[in-house]
Amino acid sequence: MQKELHTPEVEQLFQAILSLKDVGECYQFFGDVCTVNELLSLSQRFEVAQMLRRKKTYMDVAEKTGASTATISRVNRSLNYGNDGYQLVIDRLSGQKGQAADSGTDSPE
């Protein structure tokens, strides 16, 4: 039985995340909400997604990120058959980097 994702509690969490104004506030909030290992796992999955989108091999991804092939496969499945969330964010971050390069400023960290 799969748990329902769309709950008032999840909605409230997402609204809280959307209220964060900068990376510093993200560190504050996620440092309280997640364990270090949970946050590192999330960031690892995002790095895996970016590398897979750049057509890196599973071997390259595993070597650079330390992710297991099971994690890489799960992320790849999400990229190919998921909700397009990874791609949405990857595209937006790519756009920010392009805008920063066009304006001669550094992209936000």
Side-chain angles (χ1 to χ4, degrees):
M1 176 173 129
Q2 186 174 2
K3 292 183 179 181
E4 177 62 34
L5 179 62
H6 297 276
T7 67
E9 295 82 9
V10 172
E11 179 77 21
Q12 186 176 21
L13 174 64
F14 289 165
Q15 291 299 327
I17 293 167
L18 289 171
S19 77
L20 300 171
K21 292 180 176 56
D22 57 34
V23 172
E25 288 186 2
C26 289
Y27 274 104
Q28 284 181 274
F29 180 72
F30 284 101
D32 286 344
V33 172
C34 300
T35 66
V36 170
N37 285 337
E38 289 168 336
L39 199 48
L40 291 175
S41 291
L42 290 171
S43 64
Q44 181 187 62
R45 287 182 212 148
F46 188 62
E47 178 66 18
V48 167
Q50 292 178 92
M51 290 183 74
L52 290 173
R53 277 294 176 240
R54 291 192 307 265
K55 306 293 187 204
K56 299 295 182 184
T57 66
Y58 274 35
M59 182 79 76
D60 290 339
V61 174
E63 193 173 288
K64 172 151 189 320
T65 66
S68 68
T69 54
T71 295
I72 297 167
S73 294
R74 195 165 38 251
V75 170
N76 194 49
R77 187 170 44 251
S78 292
L79 284 168
N80 292 314
Y81 306 108
N83 298 314
D84 295 325
Y86 280 120
Q87 194 61 50
L88 175 74
V89 174
I90 290 168
D91 289 347
R92 285 190 181 159
L93 290 176
S94 294
Q96 286 179 357
K97 287 179 184 173
Q99 291 172 1
D102 291 344
S103 67
T105 62
D106 291 334
S107 62
E109 291 185 25

